[in-house]
Amino acid sequence: MEIQFQSDIGKRRNMNQDYANVFINQAGMDLAILADGMGGHLAGDVASKMAVDGLGAAWSTSTIAQPEEATQWFLQEIQKINEAIYQEGIAHPEMQGMGTTIVSTALLDETFVLAHVGDSRAYLVQKGQLQQLTDDHSLVNELLKSGEITEEMAAIHPQKNVLTRSVGFAGEVKTDVSQHQCQPNDYLLLCSDGLTNMVSEADILAIVESDQSLETKTKQLIDAANEAGGADNITVLLIHFEGEARP
């Protein structure tokens, strides 16, 4: 298994509020996390870094190796992160209202467990097909699912960035958690909306399936989003399940 990730400020933003990292626990299992922060000056990047570092620290001391354990762990730990970010905003009024998306995967041999809140996405590339594994927690996606707007309307909707769920707010956060099987030569892509709002799924698939190194593919996805306008921060985390699912 190989993992590469890269984050870029894009062409139109003054700062990068995305954050990603990979951690390993006491059982030798990897956790990949990507977060897209929101909020005023500095607040969004504080929220995303708190989410990634907080989850990563908790994972690093765990001994989780089974999917059911990982599912419960995600539900508990993302709630703790939600409360921590909310309290940080209360303690620092200039950061009040900050929040973040989270998309994360625990890589457990031939199984991976996904958890997400917000509109950062996970895709599985398997046998030449690109499958979105996450469901955007956004106003536009709710309108799309209810049939009130078409996919073409959704792509240019003025409230495209309005989230229905995020991490860092009062009360209980609802986290979507799912278990998936992976096969040799599959790819798992975690990304912020700075990629998916700028690059089509067909182009993403073509890059991931190209005959390049994983590092080059990651850079090419970033470059494609910037070439299309780079309207937002762009973060890409790409996992290749090579041969055996784990080294």
Side-chain angles (χ1 to χ4, degrees):
M1 185 173 61
E2 186 186 357
I3 304 173
Q4 291 283 341
F5 64 93
Q6 186 177 339
S7 189
D8 190 88
I9 195 170
K11 294 289 185 73
R12 301 189 204 167
R13 295 295 171 94
N14 296 322
M15 63 186 303
N16 192 348
Q17 297 192 329
D18 289 1
Y19 198 71
N21 212 340
V22 178
F23 303 87
I24 190 164
N25 74 359
Q26 301 297 305
M29 301 296 171
D30 291 303
L31 180 78
I33 320 167
L34 185 152
D36 177 356
M38 66 208 78
H41 181 61
L42 293 180
D45 65 326
V46 170
S48 60
K49 193 171 189 304
M50 281 183 71
V52 172
D53 289 349
L55 274 183
W59 182 258
S60 298
T61 59
S62 79
T63 56
I64 289 166
Q66 298 301 319
E68 292 73 21
E69 294 176 312
T71 297
Q72 290 306 310
W73 182 87
F74 271 127
L75 294 172
Q76 293 166 7
E77 294 300 328
I78 291 176
Q79 182 58 44
K80 289 179 187 175
I81 295 296
N82 182 70
E83 180 66 19
I85 294 172
Y86 175 69
Q87 291 299 335
E88 187 76 2
I90 296 295
H92 300 90
E94 71 277 12
M95 296 181 182
Q96 199 159 353
M98 69 176 173
T100 184
T101 71
I102 288 177
V103 60
S104 181
T105 183
L107 302 160
L108 312 171
D109 294 319
E110 288 78 31
T111 304
F112 62 92
V113 180
L114 268 181
H116 90 287
V117 181
D119 63 354
S120 296
R121 293 180 179 175
Y123 289 93
L124 182 66
V125 176
Q126 187 176 77
K127 296 179 180 174
Q129 301 289 318
L130 181 77
Q131 179 189 0
Q132 185 177 336
L133 301 179
T134 52
D135 191 33
D136 291 353
H137 302 142
S138 67
L139 175 62
V140 163
N141 193 41
E142 292 297 324
L143 295 172
L144 187 61
K145 288 193 294 185
S146 68
E148 294 179 53
I149 61 171
T150 63
E151 287 196 14
E152 291 74 21
M153 293 164 69
I156 56 170
H157 199 282
Q159 292 177 298
K160 192 171 172 61
N161 294 326
V162 176
L163 297 182
T164 54
R165 270 191 244 172
S166 59
V167 177
F169 294 91
E172 188 173 346
V173 63
K174 188 173 187 298
T175 302
D176 287 359
V177 185
S178 55
Q179 296 180 20
H180 306 270
Q181 297 296 119
C182 57
Q183 299 172 8
N185 212 36
D186 286 356
Y187 291 87
L188 180 61
L189 169 67
L190 309 185
C191 59
S192 61
D193 64 348
L195 177 70
T196 50
N197 284 342
M198 307 306 295
V199 184
S200 71
E201 291 189 352
D203 288 344
I204 290 172
L205 178 62
I207 291 171
V208 173
E209 291 236 292
S210 67
D211 190 20
Q212 307 282 343
S213 70
L214 200 67
E215 184 179 6
T216 299
K217 292 176 186 184
T218 304
K219 186 177 186 301
Q220 285 179 339
L221 289 168
I222 298 272
D223 290 347
N226 275 324
E227 286 163 13
D232 199 352
N233 308 145
I234 313 140
T235 304
V236 170
L237 195 156
L238 192 56
I239 300 161
H240 185 202
F241 301 100
E242 304 175 89
E244 295 299 317
R246 296 192 61 81

